[in-house]
Amino acid sequence: TAAAAALSQPFLCTAVAFVEEPVGGRSDGYCGRILRAQTQGTRKEGHHEFRIRVEGDPASYQPGSTYRVVLLATSPSYFRGFTLIALKEGREGTVDDDYIGQFQNIDEEDTQFMTNCAPAMTESTPRRRTRIQVFWTAPPTGSGCVIMKASIVQKRVIYFQDEGSLTIRLCEKERVFGEATGAPAMECCACGTAKYRLTFYGNWSEKVHPKDYPRRANHWSALIGASHSRGYVLWEYGGYASEGVRQVAEFGSPIKMEEEIRQKGDEVLTVIKTKAQWPAWQPLNLRAAPSAEFSVDRTCHLMSFLTMLGPSPDWNVGLSGEDLCTKECGWVQRLETDLIPWDAGTDNGVTYESPNKPTIPQEKIRPLTSLDHPQSPFYDPEGGAITPIAKLVVERIARKGEQCNVVPDTIDDIVADIGQEDKEEDDTPETCIYSGWSPWSACSSATCEKGRRMRQRMLKAQLDLSVPCPHTQDFQPCMGPGCSIEGKNRNTLKCDCCEGLCSVCVREQPACLFADSLLCMLSPWSDWSDCSVTCGRGLQTRQRMLKSDPAGCSEELEQMEKCMLPECPADCMVSEWSEWSECNKSCGKGHTIRTRMVKLEPQFGGRACPETIQRKKCKIRKCRTKEGSRDTSVSGCRMQPWTAWTDCTKPCSGGIQERFMVAKERDKGAMAVGCKDRKEVRACNVYPC
């Protein structure tokens, strides 16, 4: 039977009995037999020490979304085997069509698909356990409600719930008219084209996500994406990251990703790009949320994008294949969605600032969850939902051409032309991260002679050293107060002077005009000084001089602002050496070791880490052994074989393992003279925590 095959242990032979298959049912071993399993003992109903949980405890499912499903046992309880299925509500599980959604293994050592019931999940090997977890991808739009059930095998009893803590009911999330359709439709029936504005709101901050939040260099990389056809996939859960996705995920560089997008030609309508954000979070009154505009049509009606949160191993947020075409043959009016991070499967790190450690072989893209690793900044032992780290808003701003939507839109935004607006050309490479421009300086000319004014910005980071970063200063032509470049070309006005102070330039008015502003005569601002530091954050100043009576002037004469240069190198930091270990030999020549741990990995070109393990020779006494014998310490002494190595004393940063060789008894239990037990020691788990 299916259950017996899945849980093939002798102790189950008397635990399960099966109701006969109904006439016309499937052959022996089909999924339906699992559902009719009966126990030979007291069957626990309702809520008890076992339960099934969908991460985040959602009240409904989003079609096409992927969820983590966890089966838990409350300590000290445990289970040896399980079965997990998802059925359409009201179905019995007797035919293939009764099963809904798609399960996916997370750890193949724990879970597998059932041999005789392909839609069901079961254990890989029966053993004591308190938790298993799998992914479940929700079915497409229009699938209705889902009943997810789990059976538990504990000792000789199977618990299978029709209601209670081992059953969950999830219904499809209701879609408001004009929202996205979820999973891409086979064909888009909308007409004309539509234009959208994408706005990205980063919510990743120390206040919202305090665990191990990086104080230095936290940022969002440049956002990169496209509107595209069904034939092109930028990235997707369960797929493998392309080289372009890997470079965004690990380094925040969109250059290769944009190259991959543009190579797709007819599969892509618009490339979507925004600038990087340093730091990752600032109030909207200090920095506007980055946005970009893009268009869609009947062929290219999907939108995908990604952006890296940095520093991180290979963590990103984004959308994959979001369909902006509605089932009513119209265009989505507004899409607003929270975003949680996902792992590109190219780096093994588990914390924001884990050292670079490539994942070999490369793993599939998957969402990060609160149960991934205890050192993860998103870890929650209860398996709660990760607080979203960003929000995306996509708003339709215009449509063009004849529309064929079945249901009238609530807004009228049809225009004659929705081409991209002319914008100021910005050829700054995406890998060059700058501060904002400073205000314009005062004009270098205090008269109506032509001068110039300046503004500047600071280079904060250069993500790709092979791509040069352009100028950090900008200049504009200008003239002194009361003059204009246009007016100079037409008429040059003469300024009268009274008592050494120049009046306002006027026509046919020789009298002096002593306005309040004329009583405070100031020189132009000087250039900004060099930054007070050579790396990191510092200050810079500029000054101007007072040329009139100080009593009538309250203007500031010095200004100060922050400046930022590329991050300062941080050298590797290591702990003190541990004590020397015992000699690994009980006689003869051996060695002893000591270790130290890496407290801070080098950053931004800092000094590399020194050695973390040292060995030195040790010699306790001369061994007395038979020539050619490795297992005797004196003549006639016989030794047991070496034991297995003990567990490492530390999980990381250098621990110790030991193994032993014990002397055997000789001549009626008497031990040979000088025959002693032996011990060897070796280092283990030397990588830093």
Side-chain angles (χ1 to χ4, degrees):
T1 66
L7 308 169
S8 54
Q9 297 299 301
F11 64 78
L12 287 182
C13 292
T14 60
V16 184
F18 293 96
V19 176
E20 290 299 322
E21 286 288 343
V23 177
R26 294 289 297 270
S27 62
D28 185 34
Y30 184 63
C31 300
R33 298 181 68 89
I34 303 170
L35 299 179
R36 288 182 288 282
Q38 304 295 320
T39 60
Q40 287 189 358
T42 302
R43 175 180 170 129
K44 291 190 177 183
E45 302 289 352
H47 297 263
H48 46 78
E49 64 267 38
F50 306 110
R51 71 171 180 139
I52 184 176
R53 180 179 185 184
V54 177
E55 183 183 24
D57 297 324
S60 57
Y61 70 84
Q62 183 76 39
S65 295
T66 299
Y67 300 88
R68 181 178 293 241
V69 180
V70 186
L71 199 56
L72 298 162
T74 304
S75 180
S77 296
Y78 64 89
F79 55 94
R80 293 183 179 275
F82 73 94
T83 305
L84 182 62
I85 58 173
L87 293 172
K88 294 179 182 177
E89 188 172 34
R91 300 292 184 91
E92 296 296 328
T94 55
V95 295
D96 291 342
D97 189 52
D98 289 355
Y99 295 85
I100 192 168
Q102 177 64 51
F103 286 112
Q104 176 187 340
N105 277 319
I106 294 178
D107 187 345
E108 293 183 354
E109 293 184 359
D110 272 347
T111 61
Q112 65 178 1
F113 287 99
M114 184 172 282
T115 304
N116 296 331
C117 181
M121 298 296 295
T122 188
E123 75 283 352
S124 295
T125 54
R127 60 179 175 83
R128 290 170 62 122
R129 67 191 82 215
T130 58
R131 178 169 66 187
I132 65 95
Q133 49 191 349
V134 297
F135 287 135
W136 178 73
T137 300
T141 302
S143 299
C145 295
V146 177
I147 305 297
M148 197 172 294
K149 296 183 177 184
S151 67
I152 288 293
V153 177
Q154 185 195 38
K155 298 181 180 177
R156 301 172 66 87
V157 181
I158 293 181
Y159 302 119
F160 198 106
Q161 299 306 117
D162 293 323
E163 294 180 353
S165 58
L166 286 175
T167 297
I168 288 180
R169 180 177 183 265
L170 291 175
C171 291
E172 182 178 345
K173 183 179 180 182
E174 293 185 6
R175 184 170 65 87
V176 179
F177 173 73
E179 285 188 341
T181 59
M186 291 302 295
E187 296 292 342
C188 175
C189 58
C191 301
T193 56
K195 185 176 183 179
Y196 289 90
R197 178 180 293 113
L198 171 154
T199 307
F200 181 83
Y201 298 93
N203 191 39
W204 178 50
S205 66
E206 187 172 14
K207 180 178 180 181
V208 181
H209 302 87
K211 183 181 177 183
D212 298 330
Y213 187 80
R215 300 291 184 89
R216 293 153 46 98
N218 57 79
H219 68 282
W220 291 104
S221 75
L223 183 150
I224 182 72
S227 58
H228 58 92
S229 70
R230 289 188 298 109
Y232 176 42
V233 178
L234 276 75
W235 71 271
E236 64 178 343
Y237 291 134
Y240 290 98
S242 66
E243 178 59 21
V245 171
R246 186 189 73 84
Q247 291 192 17
V248 174
E250 292 189 28
F251 312 122
S253 173
I255 296 175
K256 181 65 177 178
M257 185 78 246
E258 183 175 354
E259 178 184 321
E260 290 178 357
I261 292 172
R262 294 190 183 278
Q263 287 176 349
K264 289 300 176 179
D266 294 340
E267 302 281 354
V268 172
L269 183 61
T270 311
V271 177
I272 303 171
K273 296 193 295 183
T274 70
K275 295 289 186 182
Q277 300 179 78
W278 292 69
W281 185 88
Q282 280 186 329
L284 293 179
N285 61 344
L286 296 181
R287 181 184 66 201
S291 64
E293 294 177 1
F294 65 94
S295 298
V296 293
D297 60 18
R298 178 177 288 189
T299 301
C300 297
H301 53 97
L302 305 181
M303 182 272 291
S304 301
F305 82 93
L306 68 157
T307 176
M308 171 205 185
L309 62 150
S312 73
D314 56 349
W315 300 343
N316 294 247
V317 299
L319 289 180
S320 174
E322 190 69 34
D323 198 346
L324 298 175
C325 182
T326 70
K327 292 193 298 184
E328 296 84 9
C329 300
W331 297 109
V332 170
Q333 293 181 20
R334 178 182 172 90
L335 167 68
E336 184 172 325
T337 182
D338 291 326
L339 303 172
I340 62 170
W342 49 267
D343 187 308
T346 61
D347 192 286
N348 270 340
V350 296
T351 65
Y352 290 125
E353 300 184 88
S354 292
N356 186 44
K357 188 178 181 183
T359 301
I360 301 174
Q362 183 176 337
E363 295 178 353
K364 294 179 180 179
I365 296 173
R366 64 172 184 86
L368 288 177
T369 77
S370 59
L371 295 173
D372 282 337
H373 193 284
Q375 292 183 4
S376 166
F378 306 109
Y379 181 72
D380 177 2
E382 296 297 320
I386 292 179
T387 303
I389 63 173
K391 181 177 73 172
L392 184 80
V393 176
V394 178
E395 296 176 287
R396 196 181 75 203
I397 55 178
R399 289 177 295 164
K400 180 185 177 183
E402 182 180 355
Q403 303 295 306
C404 55
N405 42 300
V406 177
V407 181
D409 266 312
T410 58
I411 56 174
D412 183 9
D413 55 0
I414 298 178
V415 297
D417 184 13
I418 61 171
Q420 296 285 343
E421 291 90 347
D422 292 333
K423 294 185 178 180
E424 181 181 349
E425 185 67 24
D426 186 356
D427 58 356
T428 303
E430 301 287 354
T431 53
C432 299
I433 310 301
Y434 294 95
S435 66
W437 286 106
S438 68
W440 287 104
S441 67
C443 190
S444 61
S445 172
T447 67
C448 291
E449 294 297 320
K450 188 175 181 180
R452 67 176 186 170
R453 60 179 183 167
M454 180 195 73
R455 63 177 182 173
Q456 66 178 5
R457 58 183 177 179
M458 294 296 164
L459 178 63
K460 298 167 71 174
Q462 188 173 357
L463 303 180
D464 188 345
L465 297 179
S466 66
V467 179
C469 293
H471 61 280
T472 56
Q473 292 183 326
D474 194 12
F475 297 92
Q476 261 189 0
C478 61
M479 291 184 179
C483 306
S484 68
I485 295 177
E486 294 81 4
K488 185 175 184 301
N489 293 334
R490 296 192 301 269
N491 294 294
T492 301
L493 304 181
K494 181 180 179 181
C495 290
D496 296 322
C497 290
C498 297
E499 299 179 4
L501 298 178
C502 285
S503 67
V504 178
C505 295
V506 295
R507 288 182 183 276
E508 300 175 356
Q509 188 172 349
C512 292
L513 302 178
F514 286 98
D516 289 343
S517 61
L518 297 179
L519 298 177
C520 185
M521 301 296 293
L522 299 166
S523 70
W525 284 107
S526 68
D527 292 337
W528 285 102
S529 67
D530 292 335
C531 197
S532 60
V533 296
T534 57
C535 61
R537 299 174 184 268
L539 295 173
Q540 58 181 4
T541 60
R542 66 177 183 176
Q543 297 83 27
R544 59 183 176 181
M545 297 178 60
L546 181 64
K547 293 186 176 181
S548 59
D549 185 355
C553 187
S554 60
E555 298 294 326
E556 61 180 343
L557 300 179
E558 183 175 22
Q559 287 184 340
M560 181 180 298
E561 73 169 18
K562 297 177 181 178
C563 51
M564 178 181 285
L565 296 177
E567 293 280 2
C568 297
D571 295 338
C572 176
M573 294 178 60
V574 294
S575 66
E576 297 295 325
W577 286 108
S578 67
E579 297 294 329
W580 287 101
S581 69
E582 294 183 14
C583 192
N584 70 325
K585 298 289 181 67
S586 59
C587 65
K589 295 180 180 179
H591 69 265
T592 178
I593 66 171
R594 65 176 182 175
T595 62
R596 57 184 174 184
M597 62 180 290
V598 175
K599 298 170 65 176
L600 177 66
E601 292 286 341
Q603 296 179 337
F604 311 109
R607 187 169 60 246
C609 293
E611 63 180 347
T612 56
I613 300 178
Q614 284 186 346
R615 291 178 172 84
K616 68 177 182 180
K617 296 179 180 178
C618 55
K619 184 175 182 180
I620 297 178
R621 60 182 175 80
K622 187 176 181 180
C623 293
R624 291 176 293 171
T625 62
K626 282 186 178 180
E627 185 178 354
S629 174
R630 299 179 58 192
D631 294 334
T632 61
S633 56
V634 296
S635 177
C637 179
R638 296 176 58 207
M639 307 295 288
Q640 297 279 8
W642 284 107
T643 64
W645 290 103
T646 62
D647 292 338
C648 195
T649 57
K650 291 184 180 180
C652 52
S653 294
I656 299 295
Q657 285 180 296
E658 298 177 336
R659 68 174 182 174
F660 304 90
M661 180 183 287
V662 181
K664 290 184 177 181
E665 292 184 347
R666 190 193 69 166
D667 297 333
K668 298 181 181 180
M671 297 297 292
V673 178
C675 189
K676 293 186 178 180
D677 297 341
R678 297 169 61 185
K679 179 175 73 172
E680 286 190 351
V681 182
R682 71 179 182 185
C684 55
N685 294 343
V686 296
Y687 51 85
C689 292

